[in-house]
Amino acid sequence: MKLSWNGFYLFLFIYRCGYSVLAQQVIARLTPLGDSSQYQLGGARILNRNLLDLGFWGNERVVSTELTQSLGALFHFLFFKNIILINIGFQAIAFAGIVIFLRAVPPHLRVWLAALLMFPSFSIWSSVAGKEAIIVYLVGTLAALVMRMFRGPTRIRPMEFLAAILIYFFKIQYMPALVFIIAGTWIAGHVRQKTFVIMLGSVVSLVPLYFLRNTLDTMAFGIIPHFSGVGRTTRPPFWVEKFDVFWKAPEGMYQAFFGPTLAESSFGILTFASFAESALMLLILSTVLIWHLPKVPAAMLVMAGTTIFWVLFANYPLGIQNPGSAIRYRTGYEIIIFLAIFALLSRDSYSVWRRSRTNTDGESQNPVPETEPRDQEKTARENVISPSP
């Protein structure tokens, strides 16, 4: 008996609801669930500030907090103050983004991505009340847009446009990676010299780092006081000398993605579980990378590499001081990493992209219709448990 994808999505929803309960009843007794309680107990709070008065610059975090608290307040009312149901309400939002993303990728990649998106840490943090659930939906929506762009000319739908705006408020540090991959896919799809355009775009995207070096250095040091606790998992200041945010970036990017170090894994069952999970995830991603590397076109390699760099570099300052924070913040951008390694580094994706995009004369080159996901869905029902990298 084979499980259809629709059947799998139903199972995934139930599976994630289980984490909504587990996180609240078990995990919350072992470690704080971030700001989850703040959003669960929203009471009558429904946008009690005029968001337009906050402006669009410098108040992104306040706006995102107001929006999340108001959503929590709505669930608080609809679900009669039941904390578990409020968690499930947030979980359903993240679940929608996950399904939108999975339905946009080919079935042979979908199996692997579905498995990775069921990992415990991702499931926990995206299944409780909090910004992470909303961010997963937004990122999943935009990642699906990228996959559609690879299949052929496509329109940006209202929800995708809104998702891009909301990402600015919720996670402005995601913007460099998302702008690069979306704009790069669209521009390179309309020219013959894709590799040159993508390489040029990659270099140009790095230029602002030089002009903003002092600002970024100051911002990095400004993060340290927020992690000045005395807990065992809080690390000493990562940046000591000026411009350490750049010189120590390779180490910081790796550790902020991985989470606990080997020594920190002995601090408790949660840190050990996080260490083991990260080790398994890194093994899978490394295996897929090594598998694709010999045959991946240069254009896709540069696009994937630049996307991953921007995701990790822009986010590592928030996760390097505490392994728990690293795992939590990783939840929001994991889909971008998976998109880059599985989809962008797939030669099949590049082949479809070249066949489906228009040439410089505007003549169609066998575009793949936008109804393809439904056809893929039928094929996937016969190929659910037959993954290939």
Side-chain angles (χ1 to χ4, degrees):
M1 178 179 177
K2 292 185 178 180
L3 179 68
S4 70
W5 276 106
N6 286 335
F8 170 77
Y9 296 144
L10 175 60
F11 164 76
L12 180 62
F13 183 84
I14 297 172
Y15 171 82
R16 289 175 51 79
C17 286
Y19 273 101
S20 295
V21 177
L22 177 69
Q24 196 65 46
Q25 300 298 330
V26 179
I27 305 300
R29 298 179 181 181
L30 301 175
T31 186
L33 290 176
D35 301 327
S36 186
S37 60
Q38 173 183 348
Y39 305 122
Q40 293 167 343
L41 304 175
R45 182 190 184 97
I46 300 288
L47 293 180
N48 65 353
R49 294 192 191 186
N50 185 342
L51 295 184
L52 293 179
D53 291 342
L54 293 174
F56 290 92
W57 304 98
N59 289 296
E60 295 84 7
R61 188 174 184 276
V62 176
V63 172
S64 64
T65 299
E66 288 288 321
L67 291 172
T68 308
Q69 285 184 329
S70 294
L71 181 60
L74 178 62
F75 288 153
H76 191 267
F77 170 76
L78 293 177
F79 299 135
F80 306 102
K81 304 181 182 180
N82 187 293
I83 293 178
I84 298 298
L85 292 180
I86 293 172
N87 281 348
I88 292 176
F90 276 89
Q91 182 283 123
I93 294 173
F95 169 78
I98 293 169
V99 172
I100 289 172
F101 173 58
L102 290 177
R103 288 179 62 87
V105 301
H108 69 285
L109 296 178
R110 193 183 307 168
V111 175
W112 289 92
L113 291 168
L116 286 168
L117 293 174
M118 291 175 67
F119 270 34
S121 68
F122 179 86
S123 299
I124 289 172
W125 285 109
S126 62
S127 297
V128 297
K131 294 180 182 180
E132 282 73 25
I134 300 174
I135 294 166
V136 167
Y137 173 81
L138 300 176
V139 172
T141 299
L142 294 178
L145 170 64
V146 173
M147 293 306 303
R148 291 204 342 263
M149 292 173 71
F150 270 97
R151 291 199 303 272
T154 187
R155 301 183 306 274
I156 296 181
R157 300 166 182 172
M159 189 59 241
E160 293 157 350
F161 182 74
L162 179 60
I165 295 176
L166 290 176
I167 279 290
Y168 167 81
F169 289 108
F170 277 85
K171 290 291 180 180
I172 191 172
Q173 64 267 32
Y174 289 13
M175 295 301 289
L178 290 171
V179 169
F180 174 79
I181 192 173
I182 293 174
T185 302
W186 187 83
I187 295 172
H190 289 80
V191 300
R192 294 182 184 274
Q193 301 298 328
K194 300 183 187 301
T195 303
F196 173 76
V197 169
I198 292 173
M199 292 184 68
L200 178 62
S202 177
V203 173
V204 170
S205 75
L206 299 176
V207 171
L209 290 177
Y210 175 78
F211 294 101
L212 297 175
R213 61 191 185 279
N214 289 307
T215 300
L216 295 175
D217 181 70
T218 301
M219 291 173 63
F221 279 98
I223 291 174
I224 293 178
H226 296 283
F227 295 90
S228 58
V230 294
R232 288 188 301 170
T233 59
T234 299
R235 297 164 178 159
F238 187 70
W239 307 285
V240 178
E241 303 293 338
K242 189 174 179 61
F243 297 136
D244 271 356
V245 67
F246 297 105
W247 301 125
K248 302 180 73 172
E251 176 189 355
M253 289 159 64
Y254 164 78
Q255 202 61 61
F257 175 79
F258 193 90
T261 63
L262 180 60
E264 291 168 342
S265 67
S266 64
F267 288 172
I269 187 171
L270 291 182
T271 51
F272 177 79
S274 296
F275 178 86
E277 180 194 71
S278 294
L280 178 59
M281 181 186 297
L282 191 62
L283 175 62
I284 294 173
L285 296 179
S286 300
T287 300
V288 174
L289 177 62
I290 294 172
W291 176 275
H292 286 307
L293 203 56
K295 49 189 177 182
V296 65
M300 303 298 275
L301 183 61
V302 173
M303 180 176 286
T306 304
T307 300
I308 292 173
F309 166 79
W310 273 117
V311 169
L312 297 182
F313 179 80
N315 285 277
Y316 99 83
L318 296 173
I320 190 58
Q321 291 297 142
N322 185 290
S325 298
I327 298 298
R328 173 188 170 189
Y329 291 130
R330 187 179 71 186
T331 301
Y333 64 79
E334 277 184 74
I335 287 180
I336 303 177
I337 298 290
F338 298 159
L339 171 70
I341 292 181
F342 280 88
L344 298 190
L345 293 183
S346 169
R347 189 171 183 84
D348 291 341
S349 297
Y350 183 74
S351 299
V352 171
W353 190 33
R354 287 188 62 87
R355 289 198 309 266
S356 64
R357 303 301 284 183
T358 56
N359 60 24
T360 54
D361 297 326
E363 297 174 349
S364 177
Q365 297 180 351
N366 302 321
V368 179
E370 290 206 26
T371 56
E372 186 188 26
R374 295 183 180 179
D375 299 331
Q376 290 179 347
E377 196 72 32
K378 295 178 181 178
T379 303
R381 292 177 183 177
E382 301 301 324
N383 190 32
V384 175
I385 314 297
S386 300
S388 60

